[in-house]
Amino acid sequence: MSLTLDQVRRIARLARIEISTTEAEATRDQLNGIFRFIEQMQAVDTTGVEPMAHAQDVAQRLRPDQVTEQDQREAFQAIAPDVEAGLYLVPKVIE
Amino acid sequence: MSLADWEVVIGLETHAQLNTRSKIFSGAATAFGAEPNAQACAVDIALPGVLPVLNRGAVERAIRFGLAVGGRIAPRSVFARKNYFYPDLPKGYQISQYELPVVAGGSLTIRVGEADKTIRLTRAHLEEDAGKSLHEDFHGKTGIDLNRAGTPLLEIVSEPDLRSAAEAVAYAKALHSLVRWIDICDGNMQEGSFRCDANVSVRPRGSDRLGTRCEIKNLNSFRFLERAIEFEVRRQVDILEDGGAIVQETRLYDPERDETRSMRTKEEAHDYRYFPDPDLLPLEISPAWIEQVRSEMPELPQAMRGRFQSEYGLSAYDAATLTASLETARYFQEAVAAAGKDNAKLCANWIMGDLAARLNREDKDIGAAPVTPRQLAGLAKRIADGTLSSKLAKEVFEALWSGAGTDADAIIEARGLKQISDTGALESIIDQVIAANAKSVEEFRAGKEKAFNALVGQAMKATKGKANPQQVNELLRRKLGA
């Protein structure tokens, strides 16, 4: 399997990354290199091996349903680019 | 062709906000109505380096739901990242479940007219809510409040088993009642705690192929759900009858114009690029945990309906009405416990009749009824033993409602409302009525039944309504030799 230039551009758009044609071409070649590794791995017979959802074979630890976090809005908003009335301000979103 | 030639196919996706104290992956509070961003901690606003830790309370509520609908609780389920860009989603992805949801299958029974219908559920999965975007003018910018970000949601997906807007509403109401019944969601629709997306398509009646569907988003009232589906069905039928084709898309219902309109061309499912979240290990639920949750489950509405019929001899309709909400069922059970099993039907009638009407008129919930179940039981007892006529009972009920007395007996005593059942006293009153209404007596003897009613009326008036009308009837007929 290999990616086309259009597919690379589409992935970049979904990730909101602006790339030039030169960058897109370089990225395509690098990604295709990774796909070649994957192809090798897929050649391994995995019959009877249960797919893993995580690299570690342990289960999720749960925390009790308790409020442990205090309000730190002031500290967080001190490093935000733009705030008003307690809100984070971002460029206008138009649907 | 007309609307009747088309079959409507609907599936609902419902987001129930779980009533945990803290968020699904962080220890921030979930309380509604806080100052903007005062309940958004480092995890919720996605500061670099933070890690999510799953809330046990959210999982337990999902188990409760799975048990209530007879679904399969997954012994192992996986959290996945659903990737998309929006400013109120600070991580750039929503943590959800994709391939292995916590609950699979199950069903919900709804009542359609006189019949029961079983609606199959596809799945229910845990996920986090996003924040809120405020598009009012902040100097041409959008304001972001992340208090809601990370609030636990259970997304409940039905199979496309619903065949009309009315069925969709019946399903949504049954689900709404159930999540409150098992106490996993407060069900507050105005605050967005329970909201529905409807997948709607139409097909020619008799066809077994599904038509192209549209998804209507964020319907936060039963009325909007019904009207949005009705509009959408007409829109799709019009397009198809004109030879057009339905475009699969997400639509938004506008209650002011009573129409749905296109929201955006939905990014295809694979554009979300779901993959297992490496920050979260698989969730394991042991059989022991499931059994523990099962042992703490309340009696479910379906079972309670059956029991009300067999134990108290109520009709299917009465049993369904009394189990429509946990509050109503609790009220009824407390009333019956105080009034006795023999008075169950009487209690049911008063709850569904006078009490419901009065609550409705004052826009109150049964939980906030000024007349307590115990007070209603006291009233029912005095009706059952003949102390109160139905007319006097209403007066006592009003007095209880307005807080004029602590219980029915005290009100009866204070107002002298006891029904006159002393035959001797009643006889002398009737003798007086006969003597004073010679004309009516004459007419009655001449065969006018109406005149008899007038005499009964006079006797009731003379006793200020305290006589037992049936007894007056009997005595009067006997005295008039009829």
Side-chain angles (χ1 to χ4, degrees), chain B residues 235-249:
Chain B
R235 187 187 74 88
Q236 292 186 12
V237 167
D238 283 349
I239 290 174
L240 293 170
E241 289 191 346
D242 288 345
I246 306 299
V247 180
Q248 182 171 343
E249 62 181 357

Side-chain angles (χ1 to χ4, degrees), chain A residues 24-41:
Chain A
E25 282 166 351
T27 307
R28 176 196 57 193
D29 295 344
Q30 285 168 0
L31 285 174
N32 282 338
I34 294 169
F35 275 119
R36 278 193 291 278
F37 286 133
I38 295 172
E39 263 164 34
Q40 286 178 36
M41 285 157 70

Side-chain angles (χ1 to χ4, degrees), chain A residues 69-74, chain B residues 37-40:
Chain A
E69 294 294 324
Q70 301 309 311
D71 176 14
Q72 296 187 73
R73 184 177 77 182
E74 239 172 273
Chain B
N37 293 305
Q39 291 178 170

Side-chain angles (χ1 to χ4, degrees), chain B residues 3 45 65 73 115 166 172 196 201 247 264 306 314 337 346 364 368 425 441:
Chain B
L3 221 51
I45 67 172
F65 179 78
I73 317 284
C196 297
S201 67
V247 180
R264 62 178 163 201
L314 299 186
L346 196 54
K364 277 197 166 89
V441 173

